[in-house]
Amino acid sequence: MFTFTTLFDAIPADLYILLTFSAGFTSFFTACFGIGGGVMLLGIMAQVLPPQLIIPLHSVVQLGSNGGRALMGFKHIDWYLIGTFFPGALLGALLGSLVLVALPPAILYLTIAAFILYSCWGPKLPPMALGKAGTFAAGTITTFISLFAGATGPLVAAFIKQLYVDRFRTVATFAMAMSLQHGVKVGVFEGIGVSLTAWWPLLLSMILSGGLGSWVGLKLLNRLTDKHFSGMFSVILSLLALRLLWQAYSQW
């Protein structure tokens, strides 16, 4: 079979196509239903890519995918929240780059799953948790964790879900927050010497495919109501939380 040996280390053509298609489909899923695509893509990439490159490569693809989605929904972004979330994300990335250790997976999964389930089905978070201090803390904690766990999108989404009813504001603000988070993560990985230069042909294909998937997904989002979107958003988040609980159980 023809392989892209001149671009990077012998990536088979079928694998190249699989990852490109997966980036498009998972971006479509996130744009349409608000969440889930990043975790789905991480799971696919974990099956076929070198372990030490999974999170750095995933970060670049998600930066492109979420960045495109944020541009498409630019007018709906809550810039007040972003202005508080981003400094927290920078602090989380700085702390993560200094620690560079793997957190206990079971505890990590249990904590994220518990917060997601509480945010979806429990009482609303207190005003303090949703204010400036809470948003800054969310940016710090989720970015720190994402350097080791990869996809903390469900955690950020669970936080943002507490703030908005409007589906367009939810999707656009979430996309912008994740763009910034993945952006600082890419900076950290570059800073510690993780070189992704040889992988850019594949990454570019995945980013372009993700942009197309986002565009189609946002078109479908127009056909949903805020009520239906909120319900599906909660269900999908809950399914992701159950997956995390299963992963925690498997780690014990």
Side-chain angles (χ1 to χ4, degrees):
M1 178 181 292
F2 172 68
T3 58
F4 295 84
T5 51
T6 57
L7 301 181
F8 39 82
D9 187 19
I11 296 295
D14 56 348
L15 183 56
Y16 189 101
I17 294 170
L18 169 67
L19 290 173
T20 301
F21 174 80
S22 298
F25 175 76
T26 53
S27 290
F28 161 80
F29 191 91
T30 299
C32 186
F33 300 110
I35 186 62
V39 175
M40 196 184 304
L41 182 62
L42 184 67
I44 295 171
M45 294 176 74
Q47 305 302 313
V48 297
L49 293 176
Q52 69 274 17
L53 290 177
I54 293 169
I55 295 179
L57 291 172
H58 180 265
S59 298
V60 176
V61 175
Q62 289 299 288
L63 170 60
S65 177
N66 283 284
R69 198 176 308 118
L71 286 175
M72 294 176 199
F74 191 81
K75 64 181 180 180
H76 299 289
I77 295 173
D78 182 351
W79 290 105
Y80 178 81
L81 180 140
I82 295 301
T84 309
F85 182 90
F86 184 51
L90 289 174
L91 176 60
L94 174 62
L95 294 175
S97 68
L98 295 175
V99 177
L100 291 177
V101 296
L103 300 175
I107 295 176
L108 187 67
Y109 295 146
L110 283 172
T111 303
I112 295 175
F115 179 78
I116 291 172
L117 292 173
Y118 174 88
S119 299
C120 289
W121 308 111
K124 208 170 171 60
L125 291 172
M128 181 181 294
L130 300 175
K132 271 191 172 183
T135 303
F136 180 86
T140 302
I141 295 169
T142 58
T143 303
F144 178 88
I145 293 173
S146 69
L147 287 168
F148 311 104
T152 53
L155 192 57
V156 178
F159 177 79
I160 289 179
K161 179 186 182 299
Q162 296 276 326
L163 299 172
Y164 311 118
V165 174
D166 179 81
R167 61 194 186 282
F168 294 104
R169 173 150 288 207
T170 299
V171 170
T173 304
F174 173 66
M176 191 65 214
M178 295 307 297
S179 298
L180 295 172
Q181 187 174 92
H182 286 297
V184 296
K185 283 168 59 181
V186 170
V188 168
F189 290 127
E190 287 288 342
I192 63 174
V194 179
S195 177
L196 303 177
T197 304
W199 293 84
W200 271 108
L202 173 63
L203 291 172
L204 182 59
S205 295
M206 294 178 72
I207 289 170
L208 292 174
S209 177
L212 177 61
S214 292
W215 181 78
V216 175
L218 289 173
K219 290 295 182 182
L220 188 56
L221 184 64
N222 282 307
R223 301 186 179 184
L224 298 176
T225 64
D226 288 331
K227 181 180 179 180
H228 289 151
F229 174 81
S230 180
M232 287 189 290
F233 197 58
S234 294
V235 169
I236 293 170
L237 276 172
S238 298
L239 291 173
L240 293 172
L242 292 176
R243 175 180 176 272
L244 289 170
L245 290 174
W246 173 255
Q247 288 179 287
Y249 172 77
S250 301
Q251 293 289 331
W252 288 111

